[in-house]
Amino acid sequence: MAAIYQSCSLLNTITITLMLIIMGNPALVMGLFQPSQWTPAHATFYGDETASATMGGACGYGNLFVNGYGTDTAALSSTLFNNGYACGTCYQIKCVKSSACNTNVPYTTVTATNLCPPNWSEASDYGGWCNPPRSHFDMSKPAFMKIAQWKAGIVPIMYRRVPCARSEGFRFSFQGNGYWLLVYVMNVGGGGDIANMWVKGSKTGWISMSHNWGASYQAFATLSGQTLSFKVTSYTTKETAIAWDVAPSNWAAGLTYSTHINFH
């Protein structure tokens, strides 16, 4: 059974809240993510054309090819990284005001998968590009080459947050054991980010998970031998999704479990 509620704010912006309650299926409360304004910054790149240097990263996504992120990724300066809460967010980036810009490419879209740490041994305007309070994108080389000639090294850009277009639903990658569960959440759509997360075993109520680092959340609880469900709230939109029976009772660390529900 579904109910759709639509209302207009005093500023004539339209907020759509969609509530789906379907017996036995995932439940979703939606807050649609909207693109942000264009903002100036700078971009560099790291690694080579294979993007092998981008594998792993501070968000914990592991092999970016296997997990669906590919080479269109970037490491964010700590100002943007927000202690890992920006993991999975998506950005349109366009090169501006440089002879190195590829004028035939209006912009490219990347996902935040890593942290570009400060380099306090260098000045912020000469080598310490990711030093606070700078907003900076250290892109994979293939992504950088879409907007600019790589020999430039660094180019001025305009960027904006955009919705993350993902096929399928959340993916939950497990680490830990029967008494400590560490979950990396991948393939997040909509705002791409996560603020809070809960786990529910088939023999427990909802258990709040604490933010570990990057895109990982942990619960110190006895969950072995139980079917696991997850509730996830977006950092940006506050949208909440519940994915029931994600992992079977014989779940194991080292495995990844897919769903058919996502943010929008």
Side-chain angles (χ1 to χ4, degrees):
M1 188 175 180
I4 300 178
Y5 303 92
Q6 180 170 328
S7 62
C8 294
S9 71
L10 295 176
L11 297 177
N12 295 321
T13 42
I14 298 175
T15 301
I16 300 175
T17 302
L18 175 62
M19 302 181 68
L20 296 176
I21 305 174
I22 304 175
M23 187 66 68
N25 288 333
L28 177 64
V29 178
M30 291 173 50
L32 300 180
F33 180 81
Q34 299 296 324
S36 66
Q37 298 295 315
W38 288 101
T39 305
H42 285 80
T44 50
F45 67 87
Y46 68 113
D48 58 21
E49 286 86 345
T50 68
S52 59
T54 66
M55 298 299 109
C59 290
Y61 294 139
N63 188 314
L64 300 180
F65 298 135
V66 172
N67 290 318
Y69 296 102
T71 61
D72 292 326
T73 62
L76 306 184
S77 62
S78 57
T79 298
L80 294 173
F81 192 68
N82 191 23
N83 293 319
Y85 286 107
C87 285
T89 52
C90 297
Y91 302 84
Q92 287 178 347
I93 298 177
K94 56 184 178 182
C95 180
V96 296
K97 300 178 181 178
S98 172
S99 60
C101 294
N102 292 332
T103 56
N104 61 324
V105 179
Y107 60 82
T108 192
T109 304
V110 298
T111 300
T113 60
N114 204 354
L115 167 67
C116 180
N119 180 2
W120 298 115
S121 65
E122 301 287 349
S124 296
D125 59 353
Y126 193 80
W129 309 122
C130 291
N131 293 351
R134 292 179 64 100
S135 295
H136 189 86
F137 293 82
D138 200 18
M139 305 170 68
S140 73
K141 190 173 183 180
F144 184 90
M145 291 172 65
K146 288 182 178 181
I147 61 168
Q149 300 171 37
W150 69 268
K151 290 184 178 180
I154 181 171
V155 293
I157 62 166
M158 298 291 287
Y159 76 92
R160 67 173 181 171
R161 280 274 307 276
V162 293
C164 296
R166 304 291 183 214
S167 60
E168 300 298 326
F170 302 129
R171 290 200 289 268
F172 300 91
S173 181
F174 288 13
Q175 298 295 330
N177 51 53
Y179 307 97
W180 169 63
L181 179 64
L182 180 67
V183 180
Y184 290 88
V185 190
M186 300 179 288
N187 203 53
V188 180
D193 50 14
I194 295 173
N196 298 292
M197 186 168 162
W198 297 260
V199 61
K200 184 184 184 304
S202 50
K203 300 176 183 178
T204 75
W206 287 107
I207 300 170
S208 178
M209 304 181 74
S210 60
H211 183 221
N212 184 286
W213 180 248
S216 67
Y217 286 76
Q218 62 187 357
F220 294 90
T222 302
L223 294 167
S224 59
Q226 300 181 56
T227 301
L228 302 184
S229 302
F230 293 95
K231 179 165 62 174
V232 185
T233 298
S234 167
Y235 189 93
T236 302
T237 67
K238 312 309 178 186
E239 175 185 353
T240 296
I242 302 176
W244 296 102
D245 301 330
V246 171
S249 59
N250 63 342
W251 62 266
L255 298 181
T256 299
Y257 299 91
S258 299
T259 72
H260 296 288
I261 187 170
N262 216 322
F263 295 146
H264 294 81

